[in-house]
Amino acid sequence: MKQIVNGRILTPAGWLEGGSVIVKGNKIVEVSNCDLPLSDAEIIDAKGCDIVPGGIEMHVHGGGGRDFMEGTEEAFRTAVEAHLHYGTTAIFPTLSSSTIPMIEQAVETCQRLMDEPDSPIMGLHLEGPYFNPAQAGAQIPEWIKAPVASEYEPLLDKSPCLKRWDEAPELEGSIDFIKSCRKHGVLPSIGHTRAKYAEVKAAYEAGMTHATHFYNAMPVVYKNREFKEAGTVESILAEKDMTVEVIADGIHVPPVMLRMVYQIKGVERTALVTDALGCAASSADVAFDPRVVLEDGVCKLADRSALAGSIATMDRLVRTCVQQAGIPMADACRMASETPARIMGIYDRKGSLERGKDADIIMFDAEQQLTFVMQMGRIVRSEL
């Protein structure tokens, strides 16, 4: 048994000063306002740090020098472990637009690792290949296409690890794709799109309730001669119950826009993601995609036509929100844990510090520097 004391604890009811979090095995057995040491517990002194739920990463392509598109067990383990050391205690590995054989290999690997005891892997996320070529960004263009039912139906049928699939809803066959995802318990998300309001609304009503890396790979207001027409961004904002994710590295979405999304959508509908590539959480400066270069603290296409992904880690997302966007620490941490847990349907066991939930716990000091990581009761990192 472990007892964490001497810190400020983020609970669903707000901050708890001077209490303790008690962990037994891989579960939280109590969050108490009492910090008296238990005789049979290992005491962990938080030394005044903020004790918060572990980060839940719902959009990440790799880390530690490896990319999930490789599809191998070694690549998956390396990338997951790399992000774990920076505060991501639950993760949905992401594939960019890929071929069906690549997806099938990743599905097999993901399912096998998910089935291991106390695995941090919660499921697989497919970003494409059903996107608008005009908003391809860093996606591999020759693999982009409209939804093909003879491809996606068999994948959905045989892949219980699939939990999310991103698509552009203006494409032919989109509504059928969205409904099929929902039928299989997969979250359809709007991304790499030029959808206008009517298309966003139709997609939302069919079950596409989430937006991929909001503000990136989607247009703002269109100009139609002398008239204006709502772009994808405004259309998503207009659907008040649609959730969004933002790459909170301070580069993909400038801090003032990050604060604006937080103010409009609120904590309950805004999740933080890294959209990190393989060079994140590593000394590597080469991405899996040879077209990508690392420059100015971000990944770009070599021709500088688009951003390609971040090198951010979970701790940086929280720090950026607090220090650059002026978002309160409690709200930044909730957007990194509670909100993604709710969006991805795992809030029954992840995303908050409560009795009976998984012992996924991280700590930050007063400067939002990560000092401690516990995943399913296992101490991964401690600088206390």
Side-chain angles (χ1 to χ4, degrees):
M1 188 179 298
K2 299 179 177 70
Q3 183 180 12
I4 304 173
V5 299
N6 191 25
R8 185 173 68 155
I9 305 166
L10 182 60
T11 75
W15 291 110
L16 175 63
E17 305 274 0
S20 64
V21 181
I22 302 170
V23 173
K24 186 175 183 180
N26 60 10
K27 296 290 183 181
I28 297 170
V29 294
E30 191 63 77
V31 179
S32 171
N33 59 5
C34 176
D35 60 0
L36 294 176
L38 299 176
S39 58
D40 57 345
E42 173 190 347
I43 302 300
I44 300 173
D45 186 352
K47 298 182 179 178
C49 288
D50 289 337
I51 306 164
V52 302
I56 297 173
E57 176 61 272
M58 52 189 291
H59 188 156
V60 56
H61 295 277
R66 305 303 294 268
D67 195 292
F68 294 118
M69 286 179 78
E70 296 177 58
T72 66
E73 185 173 315
E74 181 187 3
F76 268 65
R77 289 190 189 281
T78 299
V80 169
E81 190 69 20
H83 282 280
L84 186 56
H85 280 81
Y86 290 89
T88 294
T89 55
I91 191 167
F92 291 85
T94 303
L95 265 62
S96 294
S97 294
S98 303
T99 65
I100 297 303
M102 291 173 69
I103 295 172
E104 289 175 335
Q105 182 183 1
V107 163
E108 181 182 346
T109 299
C110 186
Q111 190 65 61
R112 184 167 62 252
L113 298 185
M114 276 180 70
D115 292 340
E116 294 181 350
D118 296 339
S119 175
I121 299 177
M122 299 288 103
L124 192 65
H125 165 210
L126 300 182
E127 188 186 6
Y130 307 138
F131 286 148
N132 189 324
Q135 292 292 155
Q139 300 287 320
I140 297 176
E142 54 265 34
W143 292 343
I144 291 177
K145 56 184 144 181
V148 180
S150 61
E151 288 182 348
Y152 67 72
E153 284 288 359
L155 275 170
L156 290 168
D157 284 338
K158 67 183 180 183
S159 309
C161 71
L162 280 183
K163 301 300 181 184
R164 171 179 163 189
W165 203 331
D166 303 352
E167 189 254 1
E170 68 271 25
L171 302 178
E172 184 178 353
S174 289
I175 298 301
D176 288 341
F177 171 80
I178 293 166
K179 290 180 177 179
S180 185
C181 284
R182 279 299 184 185
K183 182 179 71 174
H184 288 85
V186 174
L187 174 70
S189 181
I190 180 172
H192 291 269
T193 176
R194 294 191 66 81
K196 297 182 180 180
Y197 178 66
E199 294 157 332
V200 171
K201 184 175 178 61
Y204 175 75
E205 291 174 349
M208 185 174 269
T209 57
H210 186 66
T212 302
H213 46 46
F214 188 56
Y215 266 112
N216 294 106
M218 59 182 65
V220 294
V221 60
Y222 296 100
K223 189 76 183 298
N224 183 5
R225 292 183 57 182
E226 68 270 36
F227 301 106
K228 296 179 182 65
E229 185 173 355
T232 309
V233 167
E234 293 83 11
S235 301
I236 291 167
L237 291 174
E239 292 298 322
K240 66 182 183 64
D241 291 328
M242 183 173 275
T243 58
V244 302
E245 63 186 41
V246 286
I247 306 171
D249 62 353
I251 301 172
H252 278 79
V253 181
V256 65
M257 292 166 63
L258 179 58
R259 184 168 67 249
M260 185 179 72
V261 175
Y262 159 75
Q263 291 171 342
I264 296 172
K265 282 293 185 179
V267 176
E268 294 81 5
R269 295 181 181 88
T270 307
L272 307 182
V273 298
T274 62
D275 193 12
L277 300 192
C279 38
S282 79
S283 58
D285 59 1
V286 178
F288 176 74
D289 187 337
R291 303 171 305 149
V292 172
V293 297
L294 178 58
E295 183 180 76
D296 299 325
V298 72
C299 296
K300 309 175 182 178
L301 288 180
D303 64 3
R304 279 67 176 179
S305 62
L307 296 178
S310 86
I311 58 169
T313 49
M314 184 61 66
D315 57 330
R316 178 175 163 185
L317 305 184
V318 172
R319 201 159 45 247
T320 299
C321 283
V322 175
Q323 297 182 2
Q324 297 184 40
I327 295 172
M329 181 65 174
D331 287 349
C333 291
R334 288 179 63 199
M335 292 190 295
S337 56
E338 176 188 330
T339 305
R342 290 186 185 278
I343 291 170
M344 298 306 298
I346 58 172
Y347 189 65
D348 60 325
R349 52 199 168 114
K350 306 280 185 183
S352 63
L353 301 183
E354 295 179 83
R355 179 192 301 174
K357 288 205 171 182
D358 292 343
D360 291 348
I361 303 167
I362 61 178
M363 301 185 204
F364 290 93
D365 67 16
E367 283 74 45
Q368 292 77 51
Q369 296 294 327
L370 189 70
T371 61
F372 181 89
V373 178
M374 173 185 284
Q375 187 263 331
M376 296 295 285
R378 173 174 70 104
I379 297 175
V380 176
R381 171 177 177 169
S382 181
E383 299 173 10
L384 298 171

